[in-house]
Amino acid sequence: MIGLVSATAAGRRARDRLAAAWPEAVRVYDTGGVREAVTRAFAECDRLVCFLATGATVRLIAPLLGGKADDPGVVCVDEAQQYAVALLGGHAGGANDLAHAVAEALPGCRPVVTTATDAAGVPGLDALGLPVEGSVAAVSRAMLDGEPVRLVRHHVLPLPALPPNVTEATDNATESDGRGGGNSGEGPDDGYTLLVTDRAVAPGDRTAVLRPPTLAVGVGASRGAPAEEVTALVGQALAEAGLSPLSVTELATVEAKAGEEGLVETARRLGVPLRTYPADELAAVPVPHPSDAPLAAVGTPSVAEAAALLACGEGAELVVPKRKSAPGGRAAMATCAVARRRPRGRLAVVGLGPGARDLLTPRARDELRRASVVVGLDQYVDQIRDLLRPGTRVLESGLGAEEERARTAVAEARAGRAVALIGSGDAGVYAMASPALAEASADIDVVGVPGVTAALAAAALLGAPLGHDHVSISLSDLHTPWEVIERRVRAAAESDLVVTFYNPRSRGRDWQLPKALALLAEHRSPHTPAGVVRNASRPGERTTVTTLGELDPAAVDMMTVVTVGNTATRSVAGRMVTPRGYRWQESR
């Protein structure tokens, strides 16, 4: 919950704007004095926005400060709403993200973030969404100062780009367990180390440990099994296997045990969800130690091992086989097993929009910042190069290498990296998503990031030509035979669809557009409105509203989108307008 505190009329107006924008996420503190409101909000909320001067806010929260791990994030907004200042809890309290969100919600407001890693474009180790322990501040400072930092990965983890002074350890070094010497940060050179592992290591004073989400614990329990017994069993199993509980993502069991209090409480103590599976799904999982007892009780020969493996998905490894609790003096009431997920890389297919920076979506920006590898056409890379983190590896190539780029992006993701494959407009429309997803299999995570397409960017400049049913057709016969393209154009013409032509004309393909226009003319008047947009949202943008009969193909090139209306489309005040319904048009 986000607490909102204000003291002036201007502050209340801004407060009310946020309350209207985030109705389910905020709580307004408007009773009592400002000091009382801040004190209550500080105690009751995860984050806090104070529409006060920073000095006043500092004095109000100073007596309330506890510690970095517990204090809420605090953002200050000035009287004129020009700045949203992340004052306290930049990463741990979420103030940095909140400052950006407040600035987006208040027109003319800008976020002010002074956290060193954010300002320098270096990923904050405590902002990656992963448990982190050890000397986080020391390693972060070394990353910022350009000192050598070794990256030791026991597991594949798609991290964002790290600065060039962070170098991956050699293969033999990655076998170090991090408990002394090797790459634990305690070697003879006393260097800094960023260790990625689910092993139970004790980091030195120059080592930070990121805990990847690799482990799932499967549990079975008799009715009434005490939480203390289940918790002790899980803790002992992890400790004896040398595994960190911070890498456990869930407790898994059979559906019949969903309400078993001992399991519910153990999951709460571990800080993970309790996930359940139907007995028939568990019974289908091959396990090394099936048993008749759970088969008779809940309908599956394995609960603990099968649930752990099922939770971790295809390719999971059983790292701790089924073991029973040892309560002493009575029969065991719980079993557990631990499985490890197969490492997975991440491929984000990102649409950059038509070219203008303000038409690049916030989600696309986030994915570019999350990537350690960016793959794309050279001219598209140039558009967003300044948004990439220092240390991002860029793999760029020229026109005609689309399939090669797709294969490269997938291969990088399979190597465990965080990859952004970029394309203009929407990456799924005549762009890179299709060849990439044709290459990608289930061994990597794939995320699609939509973008503003060329058809939509052009339509916004032309007016409202896509107000009714419409279709996009590429006139490039590089990958599609002309006979197929012609059949589609003819079908669109006969169906009275508004048509947007992509790739309409190049130096080597100058006859396809006139042919396509002639096909449309067989079913539409020469007075049908048509639009030609070149370089939509980019420098040199040019928009022309004309007619089907007067459209000059010589004015069209590969940087152009051509839109031809249907029989209901009209020119209104120099803009193309296609009514939402034919009945509306007939009544005019």
Side-chain angles (χ1 to χ4, degrees):
M1 186 62 67
I2 302 171
L4 305 181
V5 177
S6 58
T8 67
R12 287 190 289 273
R13 286 193 293 271
R15 176 202 69 188
D16 292 345
R17 183 185 290 271
L18 287 190
W22 308 332
E24 304 299 323
V26 302
R27 181 182 300 162
V28 175
Y29 289 82
D30 56 0
T31 59
V34 173
R35 182 178 297 278
E36 178 186 346
V38 169
T39 301
R40 288 173 51 213
F42 198 92
E44 297 171 359
C45 297
D46 302 313
R47 291 173 290 173
L48 179 60
V49 180
C50 294
F51 297 90
L52 305 166
T54 54
T57 306
V58 167
R59 286 190 293 272
L60 289 170
I61 68 173
L64 311 175
L65 299 179
K68 182 176 181 178
D70 302 315
D71 291 336
V74 178
V75 170
C76 282
V77 179
D78 65 287
E79 182 78 359
Q81 297 150 46
Q82 294 184 81
Y83 303 104
V85 182
L87 186 67
L88 176 72
H91 286 161
N96 291 352
D97 290 340
L98 180 58
H100 284 280
V102 169
E104 288 181 11
L106 300 178
C109 189
R110 290 185 291 174
V112 178
V113 174
T114 58
T115 305
T117 50
D118 288 49
V122 174
L125 299 181
D126 56 351
L128 297 177
L130 300 171
V132 58
E133 55 186 340
S135 302
V136 179
V139 174
S140 296
R141 174 50 58 189
M143 291 168 59
L144 286 166
D145 289 346
E147 297 190 44
V149 177
R150 290 167 298 188
L151 173 62
V152 180
R153 286 198 270 199
H154 294 165
H155 309 282
V156 166
L157 183 67
L159 295 171
L162 299 172
N165 57 305
V166 180
T167 56
E168 188 110 23
T170 57
D171 290 342
N172 61 339
T174 62
E175 296 304 315
S176 163
D177 66 3
R179 283 177 284 194
N183 285 278
S184 67
E186 301 171 356
D189 60 357
D190 203 26
Y192 294 95
T193 298
L194 176 58
L195 177 62
V196 180
T197 186
D198 61 14
R199 304 179 194 178
V201 301
D205 60 4
R206 292 195 169 195
T207 298
V209 183
L210 280 173
R211 296 300 187 182
T214 53
L215 305 176
V217 178
V219 287
S222 302
R223 180 178 300 175
E228 289 72 18
E229 182 174 339
V230 181
T231 303
L233 172 63
V234 172
Q236 185 179 20
L238 292 169
E240 292 183 2
L243 299 172
S244 170
L246 293 178
S247 282
V248 176
T249 61
E250 58 201 277
L251 209 62
T253 191
V254 65
E255 276 186 352
K257 299 295 180 179
E260 190 67 46
E261 183 56 38
L263 301 187
V264 173
E265 175 61 19
T266 298
R268 188 194 68 78
R269 293 178 183 181
L270 284 172
V272 299
L274 177 65
R275 186 175 180 182
T276 62
Y277 295 95
D280 57 346
E281 290 187 22
L282 295 176
V285 179
V287 297
H289 304 102
S291 171
D292 292 334
L295 180 61
V298 293
T300 172
S302 172
V303 173
E305 290 181 339
L309 289 168
L310 200 56
C312 287
E314 185 179 354
E317 171 194 8
L318 191 66
V319 291
V320 178
K322 180 181 71 174
R323 56 186 296 163
K324 297 181 179 180
S325 55
R330 60 174 173 79
M333 298 185 73
T335 60
C336 85
V338 183
R340 178 182 282 137
R341 290 177 176 81
R342 173 186 286 179
R344 296 174 68 86
R346 187 174 190 277
L347 173 63
V349 187
V350 181
L352 300 180
R357 180 58 61 85
D358 60 352
L359 292 180
L360 178 69
T361 67
R363 187 177 299 180
R365 287 173 181 262
D366 290 344
E367 287 296 343
L368 294 173
R369 302 283 284 175
R370 181 171 180 164
S372 62
V373 180
V374 170
V375 182
L377 181 67
D378 47 14
Q379 63 189 42
Y380 298 153
V381 170
D382 288 341
Q383 292 179 18
I384 49 85
R385 200 182 298 271
D386 62 302
L387 298 178
L388 305 180
R389 290 189 186 275
T392 303
R393 189 155 57 96
V394 177
L395 304 177
E396 54 189 307
S397 52
L399 287 168
E402 287 79 12
E403 293 181 357
E404 178 188 343
R405 283 195 292 275
R407 287 192 293 269
T408 297
V410 171
E412 291 288 333
R414 285 194 176 123
R417 300 181 179 93
V419 182
L421 176 62
I422 62 173
S424 67
D426 183 286
V429 179
Y430 300 120
M432 293 304 302
S434 295
L437 269 60
E439 289 283 335
S441 51
D443 57 345
I444 61 174
D445 294 322
V446 177
V447 177
V449 182
V452 178
T453 69
L456 296 181
L461 294 169
L462 292 169
L466 307 183
H468 206 291
D469 297 338
H470 54 274
V471 63
S472 296
I473 299 176
S474 171
L475 295 184
S476 171
D477 55 1
L478 181 63
H479 299 289
T480 306
W482 174 253
E483 293 76 14
V484 174
I485 297 171
E486 182 174 335
R487 187 165 68 246
R488 292 172 179 172
V489 175
R490 192 181 299 278
E494 293 172 350
S495 303
D496 199 31
L497 293 170
V498 176
V499 182
T500 298
F501 289 123
Y502 279 72
N503 305 312
R505 184 176 182 270
S506 67
R507 291 180 181 177
R509 292 187 302 100
D510 58 1
W511 59 269
Q512 287 91 339
L513 178 59
K515 176 63 175 175
L517 296 176
L519 292 172
L520 293 179
E522 293 177 8
H523 299 269
R524 299 179 196 184
S525 161
H527 302 295
T528 302
V532 178
V533 179
R534 189 176 191 278
N535 286 329
S537 87
R538 295 191 295 271
E541 176 184 281
R542 187 174 70 245
T543 302
T544 303
V545 175
T546 182
T547 65
L548 176 59
E550 295 180 355
L551 196 156
D552 181 11
V556 175
D557 61 14
M558 288 292 284
M559 307 302 292
T560 305
V561 173
V562 176
T563 300
V564 180
N566 65 11
T567 57
T569 305
R570 296 291 181 266
S571 179
V572 180
R575 293 181 287 268
M576 288 180 68
V577 180
T578 301
R580 292 183 61 187
Y582 284 74
R583 194 179 312 169
W584 176 87
Q585 182 66 20
E586 292 168 357
S587 67
R588 288 175 58 84

